Amino acid sequence: MPIGSTGSGRSTWDAFYGWLNKQDLRPNTILQIHRILSRAIKLAVRREIIARNVCGLIDAPNGEEVEIEPLSEDEARDILDVAKDRRNGTRWSVALALGLRQCEALGLRWKYVDLRRGQLRIFWQIKHQRYRHGCEDPHACGADLHRYPCPADCPKAKRKSGRRHTCVKQRCPASCDRRGGKCPKFCTPDCTKHAPSCPQRVGGWAFVKPKGKSKLVVPLPPPLIPLLKLHREAQEAERAAAGEKWQDRDLVWCEPDGSPIEARQDWEEWKELLRLAEVDKDARVHDARHTAATLLLEQGIDMRVVQVILGHSQLTTTKRYTHVTENLAGDAMARMGRALWDD
């Protein structure tokens, strides 16, 4: 549904959000779309491209509170017991103890690890940015990769050997279901895609500022320091074995050749650990962060200290773990009862 096709009044935006609600999107996704649109239009107003922010005509959609299901202390210990003898096993020790986000952990570099003081400086995260053409003519650059419908006199259909070719002479409509949703995808006449094959491409792995753009210094639990020292020694041995093939990015956790670990591969490693530790939960990688927050609060750590360790920009984010503080409050009252009434 094109925005603004019927004007920019409230009825148009009501229709737009009504259309979004029919797209089987989660409430939080719709809320994020609203925030992006509102921010973009706000900038347009500031630059005097348009006169007003029409997103202000409607209330922001309601998001949904995702229920947090952290691992228990025993489950966390079981995972660490399985991970201790695996390559990059300390990656999960740091995840469960400090609650680093996935990209922060995978982007952590040794120069930001102070094992003498027992500190980590979370100044960067690593992201695989989408490739873009760096050449002057992206369309010509991808000429050999463009895919268009077959011409009327298709030469591939005439060949008598090799792989059989079935001509597709027109684009399928969006509602086509003849191939189970796997219709051929063709390029537009002015296609500028296929950037990964561009000799002058830009993008790929890059270090970017972490979420919230804040620089965070967090202390290491003392038992983790010798484990990281052993991990570094093992990595130096891999570096020597790889020789000239080693990609020197100074990463704490990396592939055997020094290259960054893909997020998907990191996810698969986490799922393997859950299986081996016999944890009967479909926990996400991010749930290790929730587990760290929960365990810190269960140790009686002040919520503002937990906020600093996790790098939450607002205390309200940390307060999502109020179910833990409620348990602690119950324990406190039990102690008070024993102090006042027990003989």
Side-chain angles (χ1 to χ4, degrees):
M1 175 183 176
I3 301 177
S5 59
T6 58
S8 58
R10 178 175 181 124
S11 60
T12 300
W13 288 92
D14 285 341
F16 171 65
Y17 284 103
W19 176 79
L20 284 178
N21 285 323
K22 296 177 181 178
Q23 303 308 305
D24 196 28
L25 299 174
R26 297 176 65 90
N28 286 348
T29 302
I30 297 176
L31 177 59
Q32 188 67 12
I33 292 172
H34 172 84
R35 289 172 175 169
I36 293 171
L37 283 173
S38 183
R39 174 64 177 165
I41 297 175
K42 183 178 180 180
L43 289 175
V45 171
R46 185 183 302 171
R47 297 174 184 178
E48 299 182 349
I49 298 173
I50 57 177
R52 62 173 179 168
N53 188 344
V54 291
C55 278
L57 296 174
I58 62 171
D59 296 328
N62 293 323
E64 62 179 357
E65 189 74 20
V66 179
E67 184 178 354
I68 295 173
E69 293 189 44
L71 302 173
S72 67
E73 182 177 332
D74 288 339
E75 289 170 334
R77 283 178 172 271
D78 288 342
I79 289 174
L80 293 183
D81 188 54
V82 171
K84 66 181 180 181
D85 296 324
R86 295 171 70 92
R87 188 179 175 278
N88 288 331
T90 51
R91 184 266 184 265
W92 305 109
S93 300
V94 170
L96 290 167
L98 302 179
L100 267 62
R101 299 178 181 91
Q102 185 183 45
C103 291
E104 292 171 349
L106 298 182
L108 183 63
R109 288 173 278 180
W110 284 113
K111 67 179 180 179
Y112 296 113
V113 179
D114 190 338
L115 295 178
R116 184 176 62 84
R117 294 183 180 180
Q119 291 180 338
L120 297 184
R121 288 174 289 166
I122 314 302
F123 290 2
W124 301 95
Q125 60 181 345
I126 196 167
K127 294 274 190 179
H128 193 282
Q129 299 179 335
R130 192 171 185 176
Y131 286 118
R132 305 182 305 281
H133 280 279
C135 56
E136 295 183 357
D137 190 348
H139 178 72
C141 179
D144 294 337
L145 300 173
H146 295 319
R147 187 180 184 188
Y148 300 112
C150 295
D153 189 23
C154 179
K156 293 182 180 179
K158 297 179 180 179
R159 62 189 182 196
K160 300 186 182 286
S161 61
R163 187 171 155 189
R164 182 179 177 183
H165 175 74
T166 302
C167 288
V168 180
K169 299 185 179 296
Q170 62 182 6
R171 303 175 190 274
C172 296
S175 59
C176 179
D177 58 0
R178 289 185 301 167
R179 298 177 177 86
K182 297 182 180 180
C183 295
K185 297 185 182 300
F186 296 111
C187 296
T188 59
D190 57 348
C191 176
T192 57
K193 297 181 179 180
H194 318 298
S197 64
C198 176
Q200 303 174 44
R201 70 186 184 188
V202 293
W205 291 110
F207 292 100
V208 298
K209 291 184 178 180
K211 188 176 181 181
K213 300 181 181 179
S214 61
K215 292 184 177 181
L216 183 65
V217 179
V218 293
L220 284 166
L224 191 49
I225 295 175
L227 296 179
L228 285 171
K229 289 181 179 179
L230 290 173
H231 171 69
R232 189 166 194 173
E233 292 174 4
Q235 190 181 86
E236 288 297 327
E238 289 184 340
R239 181 191 185 107
E244 295 181 355
K245 295 181 179 179
W246 181 264
Q247 299 183 29
D248 192 6
R249 297 177 187 262
D250 196 35
L251 292 169
V252 176
W253 299 290
C254 58
E255 297 288 1
D257 63 351
S259 60
I261 298 173
E262 295 276 357
R264 178 69 186 184
Q265 184 177 345
D266 188 61
W267 178 87
E268 291 174 350
E269 175 73 7
W270 171 250
K271 291 297 183 181
E272 177 71 3
L273 288 174
L274 291 176
R275 185 184 66 80
L276 293 175
E278 298 182 352
V279 175
D280 190 21
K281 288 181 180 176
D282 188 21
R284 306 164 301 166
V285 173
H286 197 71
D287 288 327
R289 179 172 171 82
H290 295 323
T291 300
T294 302
L295 293 179
L296 284 168
L297 290 170
E298 286 180 349
Q299 308 312 308
I301 308 300
D302 184 84
M303 188 171 289
R304 292 189 180 275
V305 177
V306 177
Q307 176 192 4
V308 172
I309 293 174
L310 293 180
H312 289 156
S313 58
Q314 297 179 342
L315 188 60
T316 52
T317 304
T318 315
K319 286 182 177 179
R320 294 176 62 198
Y321 303 93
T322 51
H323 64 286
V324 179
T325 55
E326 288 169 0
N327 294 338
L328 292 176
D331 181 59
M333 288 302 98
R335 292 183 185 183
M336 181 62 77
R338 291 193 294 270
L340 294 176
W341 287 282
D342 279 5
D343 294 334

